[in-house]
């Protein structure tokens, strides 16, 4: 089983993948940090806030399966 986390910031959709939900979240946060280092005036804590307030969509997937984003999950 794998976990996919999708977080929409209003400008971009960040997608994390992991064997656990926490690992998927960590992937999103690491990519967010990289984004913040390249884009001035970005709130570094914004992604964590989105995850903490339930704005992240998390889907559990078996290898070889698929979902329709926005419909499944």
């Amino acid at each position: 089983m794998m976990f996919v986390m999708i977080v929409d910031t209003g400008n971009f959709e960040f997608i994390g993948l992991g064997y656990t939900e926490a690992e998927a979240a960590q992937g999103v946060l690491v990519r967010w940090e990289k984004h913040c280092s390249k884009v001035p005036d970005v709130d570094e804590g914004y992604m964590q806030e989105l995850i903490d307030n339930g704005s992240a969509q998390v889907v559990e997937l078996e290898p070889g399966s698929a979902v329709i984003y926005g419909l499944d999950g």
Side-chain angles (χ1 to χ4, degrees):
M1 182 73 65
M2 300 288 292
F3 289 82
V4 179
M5 176 176 281
I6 303 166
V7 186
D8 187 344
T9 66
N11 293 310
F12 301 101
E13 291 178 345
F14 286 73
I15 302 170
L17 177 67
Y19 288 106
T20 65
E21 186 173 336
E23 187 177 31
Q26 185 61 34
V28 168
L29 290 168
V30 167
R31 184 59 183 93
W32 178 252
E33 288 174 13
K34 185 176 179 182
H35 176 71
C36 290
S37 71
K38 295 180 179 184
V39 179
D41 302 325
V42 174
D43 179 356
E44 292 182 17
Y46 183 57
M47 183 61 70
Q48 187 66 60
E49 290 174 22
L50 290 173
I51 293 170
D52 289 346
N53 75 20
S55 294
Q57 181 180 11
V58 179
V59 180
E60 293 180 60
L61 291 172
E62 292 287 342
S65 66
V67 295
I68 300 172
Y69 176 65
L71 182 61
D72 299 333

